[in-house]
Amino acid sequence: MTKRQTAVVIGAGIGGIATAARLAKNGYEVTVLEKNETPGGRCNQIIRDGHRFDIGPTLFLMPEVWEETFAALGEKMSDHLDLRRIDPTYKVRFDDGLELELTSDIGKMQTQLEKVEKTAFTGFLNYIAEGSKHYKVSLEKFVGRNFFNIFEYFSLSNLPLIFQLKALGKHYKNTSRFFKDERLKAAFTFQNMYLGLSPYDAPATYSLLQYTELAEGVWYPMGGMYAGIQALTKVAEKHGVTFIYNAPVKKINTGKSKVESVITEDGKTYTADIFVGNADLPYIYDQLLPDRAEAKKLVEEKLYTCSTIMFYWGTKKEYPQIAHHNVFLGGDYKASFDQIFNDHTLPDVPSFYVHAPKRTDPAAGPNGQDTLYVLVPVGHLDARSEQDWDAMVKRARQTVLTRLANELGATDLEQNIKFEMVYQPKVWKERFNLVNGAAFGLSHNFWQVGYLRPHNRHKQYKNLYFAGASTHPGTGLPIVLLSARLTTERILKEEGTIAVQKVVNPTLTPA
């Protein structure tokens, strides 16, 4: 009998789980080593006193990418996930009193937008049309494929597309072509924060985010985003993947041109034919591999996404006036992003996001009580600047409570908080090994996307591959699922193993 090829995956984030499952489906014997006690990485959950919180992502986007992942593993997504569409996708509130409900209902969008600016609805239709083009071209030509050399990326066929996608333009500036009102520009660019980016720095390509939300929908899996992790882990185990928890890797042992083994904190050694790094890629280079020059280049010279201050509140009563997804924008929009990304601090007037899953999923908390998740964007850790995190957390908390009281009438919220859990950049760094506590990994500017992003195969250690937010194609759950597909395809190509299975754009069939 032919000996099965073996693989060790470092990290059970969604990219690690999906890569492990795909490799196992293609005949590999796979072991996943996970630092924490449960799978999921940043897409994890907290359960306390009957309240269930998603720790990180709360938006289920690009369902066709999820569907393809399950299909490639011989499964139907609808057999595993009960998806509910959230519409309006969210309510956006400005500190001057303007409220917008972003919805796929075109008539409602027209009514709202024309109250703010007479020509805004026409601008909106053109903006979404551009986003649709950016989405389809990006997915087919850039995000959804591997690049094996610089000439493939900057090929004669791709160069015109780079300009067509406005990859060299800035998202906020490009939005000015469609809207004049500064609040509308903000309403259609703040989504860059899903990727930890500033709209003043993000490529104009990212108008595709608004297209995916309004045209393809924002969904919610009953049971929370963690239901997706649980489903994929179950499928991976069905294919024979072994998960070992509480097993942080402390060293990768290398030879001249390949990885020979990894050692966990408890001293155990794991050997394999191939290795896949799903821990934060800069962390792997900096802490687990021997090349200090390459590590320094990644850690000190690359741009990182922002971080977040998170509040997880279990409350004694329910607050039905807080919708499923809520965005509160405030202060000087440009100055806020400058303070986050340049000064690495909390803006003078912080904006924030509130997630109330009980509006859709009553099981997210006890009857008559609420489960509230609050995300406040903030700069990442920076040893060169003074960062008083206790003070920033306190100020962020007060900002949130004040606006919820003044704008939604939640005047008794503070006194009804049963318990509070707080994450800030130090926690992101310590719990998930995220360099600089950057909650979304490496940033995405023109010089850090596509072939210019850290590759999913190590240039020296040929049997070491990467999957996750900081390698190609980038951050965000569906994009990391694409990363898992691309990394698996590359492994099967480079290692000469079983042919790649592809499923293209299956029909979405939510339960």
Side-chain angles (χ1 to χ4, degrees):
M1 288 182 66
T2 304
K3 180 179 177 292
R4 290 176 68 192
Q5 287 200 288
T6 56
V8 165
V9 178
I10 303 169
I14 191 169
I17 298 166
T19 305
R22 285 176 178 270
L23 287 173
K25 180 74 163 58
N26 282 281
Y28 274 83
E29 184 178 329
V30 187
T31 300
V32 181
L33 303 174
E34 167 54 37
K35 170 183 184 285
N36 294 309
E37 63 277 5
T38 54
R42 285 161 277 184
C43 189
N44 217 300
Q45 69 174 358
I46 297 169
I47 297 177
R48 179 171 168 180
D49 297 346
H51 298 267
R52 187 191 67 231
F53 303 87
D54 284 312
I55 289 178
T58 59
L59 297 167
F60 192 102
L61 300 172
M62 298 170 65
E64 76 281 3
V65 174
W66 289 80
E67 183 95 22
E68 186 278 331
T69 299
F70 280 100
L73 299 172
E75 304 283 334
K76 286 180 65 178
M77 182 173 71
S78 57
D79 290 339
H80 295 271
L81 297 177
D82 178 4
L83 295 183
R84 307 293 172 90
R85 186 163 184 167
I86 308 300
D87 198 356
T89 54
Y90 33 68
K91 294 186 177 181
V92 185
R93 290 179 171 84
F94 297 84
D95 55 6
D96 65 358
L98 176 66
E99 294 184 15
L100 292 174
E101 284 191 352
L102 298 191
T103 171
S104 59
D105 186 321
I106 294 297
K108 286 184 179 178
M109 285 300 293
Q110 181 174 8
T111 300
Q112 293 181 88
L113 293 172
E114 289 181 348
K115 283 181 181 178
V116 179
E117 178 186 311
K118 286 184 178 180
T119 59
F121 182 64
T122 301
F124 166 75
L125 293 177
N126 291 333
Y127 183 67
I128 295 301
E130 180 181 274
S132 170
K133 181 173 67 176
H134 287 177
Y135 176 76
K136 290 167 184 173
V137 173
S138 294
L139 211 58
E140 180 182 352
K141 301 295 186 181
F142 292 96
V143 176
R145 59 160 294 186
N146 281 306
F147 295 96
F148 296 96
N149 57 63
I150 194 73
F151 303 106
E152 281 188 358
Y153 187 60
F154 289 116
S155 66
L156 289 176
S157 60
N158 271 3
L159 276 174
L161 296 178
I162 290 174
F163 290 98
Q164 183 182 328
L165 290 171
K166 301 183 177 179
L168 296 171
K170 302 303 181 189
H171 192 185
Y172 188 86
K173 183 177 180 181
N174 182 60
T175 309
S176 300
R177 296 176 54 245
F178 305 96
F179 308 104
K180 295 183 177 66
D181 191 283
E182 295 298 321
R183 295 167 300 178
L184 294 183
K185 295 177 192 177
F188 291 102
T189 58
F190 76 82
Q191 295 86 351
N192 291 147
M193 292 301 291
Y194 300 167
L195 307 177
L197 304 177
S198 164
Y200 294 93
D201 298 323
T205 312
Y206 287 118
S207 59
L208 61 84
L209 290 169
Q210 291 72 45
Y211 166 76
T212 62
E213 288 182 347
L214 296 176
E216 305 206 351
V218 172
W219 301 78
Y220 179 82
M222 298 300 280
M225 294 296 291
Y226 198 64
I229 296 296
Q230 292 170 317
L232 286 174
T233 302
K234 180 180 177 181
V235 171
E237 290 174 333
K238 177 181 174 181
H239 285 295
V241 175
T242 298
F243 289 86
I244 301 175
Y245 301 108
N246 298 305
V249 171
K250 72 173 182 180
K251 186 181 180 184
I252 296 176
N253 290 322
T254 58
K256 186 175 181 181
S257 62
K258 62 183 286 191
V259 170
E260 296 174 347
S261 63
V262 299
I263 302 175
T264 51
E265 292 283 359
D266 60 6
K268 293 180 181 176
T269 299
Y270 295 84
T271 59
D273 296 307
I274 64 162
F275 297 82
V276 179
N278 177 235
D280 191 35
L281 182 144
Y283 171 84
I284 293 175
Y285 275 85
D286 188 43
Q287 297 294 321
L288 304 183
L289 289 170
D291 188 340
R292 299 315 306 154
E294 192 70 23
K296 183 177 180 182
K297 185 166 68 174
L298 269 173
V299 173
E300 297 182 12
E301 297 178 16
K302 295 290 185 184
L303 291 177
Y304 284 78
T305 55
C306 69
S307 192
T308 62
I309 293 172
M310 312 291 300
F311 299 102
Y312 307 101
W313 291 332
T315 67
K316 299 174 190 173
K317 61 176 283 191
E318 204 156 352
Y319 292 88
Q321 66 269 46
I322 301 176
H324 189 113
H325 297 300
N326 311 264
V327 175
F328 293 79
L329 299 177
D332 183 318
Y333 196 60
K334 174 72 163 62
S336 291
F337 285 107
D338 286 344
Q339 289 176 310
I340 292 170
F341 290 93
N342 298 337
D343 303 334
H344 301 141
T345 189
L346 180 70
D348 293 336
V349 182
S351 296
F352 60 94
Y353 159 78
V354 181
H355 177 230
K358 281 200 69 181
R359 299 302 87 80
T360 303
D361 187 357
N367 288 336
Q369 301 182 22
D370 226 337
T371 298
L372 300 177
Y373 158 122
V374 180
L375 181 155
V376 186
V378 69
H380 62 61
L381 297 172
D382 183 356
R384 296 167 295 183
S385 63
E386 292 185 18
Q387 294 175 306
D388 185 340
W389 291 109
D390 290 341
M392 282 191 264
V393 167
K394 183 178 180 181
R395 186 159 62 84
R397 185 180 194 269
Q398 193 54 54
T399 297
V400 173
L401 290 169
T402 299
R403 287 197 67 177
L404 290 178
N406 292 344
E407 298 173 36
L408 295 184
T411 53
D412 60 352
L413 175 57
E414 185 169 18
Q415 68 200 54
N416 281 306
I417 294 175
K418 295 195 301 181
F419 63 83
E420 172 182 88
M421 295 169 287
V422 179
Y423 275 35
Q424 43 98 327
K426 290 180 180 178
V427 179
W428 290 117
K429 180 179 180 180
E430 290 162 9
R431 180 164 184 189
F432 300 111
N433 289 335
L434 296 170
V435 171
N436 297 328
F440 307 86
L442 283 175
S443 189
H444 301 70
N445 62 11
F446 180 77
W447 304 106
Q448 290 183 192
V449 294
Y451 188 77
L452 306 178
R453 197 167 181 81
H455 301 167
N456 57 12
R457 188 190 193 193
H458 197 281
K459 65 180 180 181
Q460 179 178 348
Y461 310 119
K462 300 298 187 182
N463 65 337
L464 174 59
Y465 298 84
F466 301 96
S470 290
T471 186
H472 174 68
T475 194
L477 287 184
I479 305 304
V480 172
L481 286 175
L482 287 174
S483 167
R485 193 199 85 201
L486 296 178
T487 298
T488 304
E489 288 180 1
R490 184 157 195 178
I491 290 169
L492 299 179
K493 176 180 185 294
E494 302 288 357
E495 304 299 324
T497 45
I498 300 168
V500 182
Q501 298 176 345
K502 284 189 178 180
V503 179
V504 181
N505 292 331
T507 304
L508 174 63
T509 53

